[in-house]
Amino acid sequence: MAMASSSAYPPPPPFYRLYKDFEQDPSSAPEPPPPIDGAYQLFGATYTTDVVLPSLEDQGVRQLYPKSPDIDFKKELRTLNRELQLHILELADILVERPSQYARRVEDISLIFKNLHHLLNSLRPHQARATLIHLLENQIQRRKQAIEDIKQRREEAQRLLGESLVIIDGNQQVMTPM
């Protein structure tokens, strides 16, 4: 029987040796590579660092909502949702009455879903911004609460120190007359 040439835990890549003196001299490690800008290859596929949502037309899909830059997302999402519900009901009717003609309705439903997803994906940057704002506001609130807690504990410690000094001074005065 031949031994397998692979291991469950392969050795680390050889460049780990470049960091062996890092503890003694942090400047001995090589500089990190510069950030990638533009297009790059990964596992045979070409990717880009540009964060641009491709249009539906670029993807070969017909756009069902207006192409203006100031879209009322709420209105368009509701319209597409109603249209989707209507097409699903029509699909159910077609499946009952004419089962051989369902393919066109399924394509229409697929088109509506693609438009819905594209509209939702175009809202992602706004969602990310709102989430970041919310996280930062929570951090600020927690830090303010921590500061208030520290102030209260400091005041309590000062009060206890003051009471302790009064007790110590009182004990010293009682012991002095003897």
Side-chain angles (χ1 to χ4, degrees):
M1 256 191 162
M3 296 272 291
S5 63
S6 65
S7 171
Y9 299 104
F15 60 82
Y16 78 94
R17 292 185 190 104
L18 298 172
Y19 297 90
K20 66 182 179 183
D21 297 328
F22 184 75
E23 289 292 321
Q24 290 80 24
D25 183 18
S27 64
S28 68
E31 292 292 319
I36 297 173
D37 191 26
Y40 61 95
Q41 291 265 335
L42 180 67
F43 301 119
T46 303
Y47 297 94
T48 180
T49 56
D50 299 331
V51 185
V52 176
L53 182 65
S55 70
L56 285 171
E57 291 173 348
D58 292 344
Q59 299 174 25
V61 177
R62 185 170 51 104
Q63 187 168 329
L64 299 177
Y65 54 89
K67 297 177 183 174
S68 67
D70 42 325
I71 299 171
D72 183 7
F73 288 98
K74 196 174 192 180
K75 177 185 166 235
E76 295 304 326
L77 286 169
R78 281 186 178 156
T79 303
L80 286 172
N81 190 27
R82 284 190 201 108
E83 193 172 330
L84 177 65
Q85 290 172 355
L86 175 68
H87 277 74
I88 288 174
L89 288 174
E90 288 177 359
L91 176 64
D93 287 341
I94 286 175
L95 286 174
V96 170
E97 296 172 7
R98 303 176 302 273
S100 62
Q101 299 177 357
Y102 75 94
R104 183 170 177 273
R105 288 294 169 204
V106 172
E107 289 175 11
D108 290 344
I109 290 173
S110 176
L111 176 66
I112 294 170
F113 270 123
K114 288 176 183 175
N115 276 268
L116 278 168
H117 279 257
H118 191 267
L119 268 175
L120 290 173
N121 284 335
S122 59
L123 289 173
R124 297 284 183 224
H126 173 71
Q127 178 188 16
R129 229 180 348 267
T131 302
L132 181 62
I133 289 169
H134 179 70
L135 287 172
L136 291 174
E137 286 173 348
N138 282 346
Q139 281 183 2
I140 290 169
Q141 186 62 33
R142 282 196 313 268
R143 288 178 181 176
K144 285 181 179 179
Q145 183 63 37
I147 290 170
E148 287 300 316
D149 188 41
I150 289 170
K151 285 180 181 178
Q152 288 176 355
R153 290 176 190 257
R154 187 191 76 200
E155 290 171 2
E156 184 180 344
Q158 287 176 340
R159 182 184 55 79
L160 288 173
L161 281 173
E163 289 175 4
S164 300
L165 287 175
V166 169
I167 291 172
I168 291 173
D169 286 343
N171 285 342
Q172 285 179 354
Q173 288 176 359
V174 170
M175 294 179 115
T176 340
M178 288 184 178

